[in-house]
Amino acid sequence: PLNVFDRLVEAVTTGPGQSELVPGLAESWEISDDGLVYTFHLRPNVKFHNGATLTADDVIFTFDRMLNPATKALNTDFLDMIAGATERMEGTAETTAGLKKIDDLTVEITLAAPYAPFLANLATPAGSIFPKAYVEEVGEDFGIKPVGTGPFQVDKWEYNSQIDLSAFPDYFRGKAQFDKLIFKIVPEPQTQALMFKKGELDVLDLDNARSSIPEFQNDPQWKDHIVSGPRVGTYYMSINQQIPPFDNIKVREAMMYAIDRQTLIDKLYYGTGVPAKGILAPGLAGYNPDLPGFPYDPERSKALLAEAGLPDGFEMTIYQTVDSPSTLKINEALQAMLGEVGIKVTIEQLDEAAFFGTRREGKLGSYVTSWSADFNDPDNFIYTFFAPRNSVARSWNYVNPEVQEKLEQARSMTDMQARYKLYQELERTIVYEDFAFIPLFHLEHLFVVQPRVKNFKVSWNGWSNMPYYGIEIVD
């Protein structure tokens, strides 16, 4: 989506794990004083790959189509804050009330309530703009015959084999500096690494060949051609405060010091990461690098368990889905570490329906997973976990009325620096006073590139799905 389509607003990478929101298909916009009305002014004469010209009708069609229940779209939560979105999704309205065309190059979007991260939402792949007439013409085939305004157009799509793109000559920012972009789908990691070494690939995503990381890091030919950036996400272990003894704050605090985070990174991820100190990840707007973190201190952990009335430890279960060997490795490492302080861990694997069904009811015990930034705003992490409804649905059962009231308040604040400061205060309360979230680590995302590939940057959020516009090929 980031190569074939554009969005009204774009999140561009300005450095490793750094981004800023810049004009995209909208060359400018205004926001009303009450934070409800966004007026977007579209760039004139922007072309779709089929030669059609972008207008306000395409923008309104794209967003209304996503909210139309007949589309069965998966990303409606990026737009459900628009006025009338709920009625549209529930099928009680034929159109979305908050989407309005002022003229061919002006779109007005009204929100149901102020929502500060709205622009960041629009800068995600979910905000990609489609050509109305073409989508209506091809219907369901749009998924395999996509047409956008982006720097590359789709020439050929061989399912489970490869996707061939070419530079779009009429791209409004100027034609890309190389002619072809080919994505090869190769399931076997060792085959990918071999193809790269033979020069058959220009870029190798080492997330797909993780066991090859040490080999490339230690090879004089390649070690200087590894490009990395933070994957803007946090691995964590959850705590369900309704399941004893996690209703005891001393037990929760003891868990923090029982985990050797650096060893997890070194043993499982070849050292390509950093210990997590809180909820927010490096590279995310509002990230606080000055949190103290939790050093590995098993003696302190044992002392806290004794203070909690559990000098001999306790038994607990860590849950995971079946067929997730990487999660099982983390859980087995945690099982050994927690065992050192007297916490006897059972690992229980559930099928996805049971895991997510039990979690949604608020009844799942601890689990280890990661959360990556969908959009660049702390709301995407803290509200997602700890707003009252979400706290139950993700089986945290964290209750702190003051924190949860401020989470709602933060969503409507328009002073971004004040918002970020508030989120940092809430993060400190949740992690360092209530001990309600066990941070584990943040990973780096590594790619290795051929010497002829210049100006390759890992996307600000560390995604594999990244824009290739701006890269040069120098033979």
Side-chain angles (χ1 to χ4, degrees):
L2 295 172
N3 294 292
V4 176
F5 301 100
D6 292 298
R7 290 134 292 278
L8 294 178
V9 183
E10 301 287 359
V12 298
T13 302
T14 54
Q18 295 176 317
S19 71
E20 65 175 309
L21 293 176
V22 301
L25 294 175
E27 58 185 4
S28 63
W29 53 84
E30 294 98 39
I31 307 169
S32 62
D33 290 343
D34 61 7
L36 289 175
V37 182
Y38 289 69
T39 306
F40 294 95
H41 304 284
L42 304 182
R43 293 179 192 274
N45 304 313
V46 171
K47 297 294 183 189
F48 284 101
H49 301 151
N50 64 350
T53 303
L54 171 80
T55 72
D57 291 325
D58 299 303
V59 176
I60 289 172
F61 166 79
T62 299
F63 292 164
D64 184 68
R65 176 180 178 271
M66 189 187 289
L67 296 167
N68 181 347
T71 310
K72 297 178 180 167
L74 300 176
N75 289 326
T76 53
D77 53 339
F78 286 94
L79 298 177
D80 63 8
M81 66 293 298
I82 296 173
T86 303
E87 293 80 357
R88 184 67 168 122
M89 290 188 291
E90 290 174 350
T92 59
E94 291 294 309
T95 56
T96 307
L99 299 172
K100 184 179 176 185
K101 173 183 174 179
I102 304 299
D103 57 43
D104 277 351
L105 292 175
T106 313
V107 176
E108 185 181 274
I109 302 179
T110 303
L111 307 187
Y115 180 63
F118 183 59
L119 290 176
N121 270 28
L122 294 182
T124 65
S128 300
I129 302 301
F130 304 157
K132 178 177 188 281
Y134 176 79
V135 175
E136 290 177 333
E137 176 192 330
V138 299
E140 290 185 3
D141 283 348
F142 183 67
I144 53 170
K145 298 176 182 174
V147 164
T149 59
F152 298 95
Q153 56 194 7
V154 177
D155 295 333
K156 190 169 67 172
W157 189 323
E158 295 176 27
Y159 188 68
N160 274 346
S161 175
Q162 73 179 51
I163 304 169
D164 292 15
L165 309 182
S166 61
F168 177 43
D170 294 327
Y171 186 50
F172 71 89
R173 295 189 198 276
K175 187 183 172 188
Q177 296 182 54
F178 58 95
D179 294 328
K180 290 277 185 188
L181 177 60
I182 298 168
F183 294 98
K184 290 185 180 290
I185 295 143
V186 181
E188 224 293 310
Q190 293 306 323
T191 307
Q192 286 189 42
L194 190 61
M195 288 171 71
F196 178 83
K197 287 178 179 176
K198 287 161 69 177
E200 294 171 22
L201 299 176
D202 284 306
V203 175
L204 173 61
D205 181 348
L206 287 170
D207 260 21
N208 299 334
R210 209 181 273 280
S211 61
S212 299
I213 287 174
E215 185 185 332
F216 282 105
Q217 285 176 326
N218 297 322
D219 188 327
Q221 183 181 354
W222 299 114
K223 65 179 184 176
D224 294 332
H225 297 285
I226 293 173
V227 183
S228 70
R231 184 175 281 286
V232 180
T234 303
Y235 277 78
Y236 63 89
M237 182 175 176
S238 75
I239 295 171
N240 189 332
Q241 292 190 25
Q242 281 193 350
I243 296 178
F246 296 111
D247 51 348
N248 186 322
I249 193 167
K250 290 291 180 188
V251 170
R252 302 199 297 268
E253 186 179 359
M255 296 285 289
M256 300 293 184
Y257 297 100
I259 297 167
D260 185 346
R261 292 161 177 81
Q262 189 62 52
T263 294
L264 291 176
I265 297 163
D266 292 343
K267 299 287 188 197
L268 301 176
Y269 297 98
Y270 309 105
T272 59
V274 293
K277 298 176 178 180
I279 303 167
L280 305 180
L284 190 77
Y287 170 71
N288 181 4
D290 298 324
L291 291 173
F294 296 97
Y296 177 50
D297 191 342
E299 293 310 312
R300 187 171 180 180
S301 183
K302 288 178 190 172
L304 285 161
L305 288 173
E307 284 180 46
L310 295 166
D312 301 322
F314 62 93
E315 295 181 10
M316 67 173 288
T317 303
I318 297 180
Y319 294 88
Q320 70 166 86
T321 55
V322 293
D323 301 326
S324 181
S326 59
T327 307
L328 182 58
K329 282 182 180 172
I330 300 173
N331 287 339
E332 287 173 340
L334 289 170
Q335 183 181 45
M337 289 173 186
L338 293 169
E340 293 289 319
V341 300
I343 301 171
K344 300 164 202 68
V345 174
T346 302
I347 299 168
E348 187 166 333
Q349 302 191 45
L350 304 173
D351 65 65
E352 285 199 1
F355 181 92
F356 290 107
T358 308
R359 190 175 82 164
R360 199 163 42 245
E361 292 173 4
K363 295 177 180 172
L364 188 68
S366 292
Y367 56 89
V368 171
T369 189
S370 65
W371 183 262
S372 293
D374 293 317
F375 55 94
N376 196 1
D377 194 277
D379 175 89
N380 185 221
F381 279 62
I382 302 184
Y383 191 92
T384 299
F385 295 147
F386 295 114
R389 188 166 55 96
N390 299 340
S391 179
V392 174
R394 294 180 181 275
S395 283
W396 298 97
N397 290 304
Y398 171 73
V399 179
N400 182 325
E402 186 182 351
V403 166
Q404 288 161 328
E405 190 179 314
K406 285 179 178 174
L407 277 178
E408 291 294 345
Q409 176 193 331
R411 298 193 114 194
S412 59
M413 291 170 66
T414 52
D415 180 336
M416 284 306 195
Q417 292 314 310
R419 277 187 76 234
Y420 297 154
K421 186 169 180 294
L422 178 57
Y423 279 115
Q424 290 176 356
E425 289 168 8
L426 296 176
E427 180 181 35
R428 271 190 183 271
T429 301
I430 293 165
V431 181
Y432 289 85
E433 293 176 23
D434 295 339
F435 303 103
F437 176 99
I438 302 177
L440 295 177
F441 48 83
H442 313 288
L443 293 181
E444 288 281 313
H445 193 168
L446 277 62
F447 294 79
V448 58
V449 302
Q450 296 288 351
R452 72 194 198 113
V453 176
K454 306 298 181 189
N455 201 33
F456 182 92
K457 293 178 186 170
V458 179
S459 186
W460 71 268
N461 48 20
W463 286 357
S464 296
N465 172 14
M466 56 178 285
Y468 282 82
Y469 185 73
I471 290 172
E472 293 179 61
I473 305 292
V474 181
D475 284 312

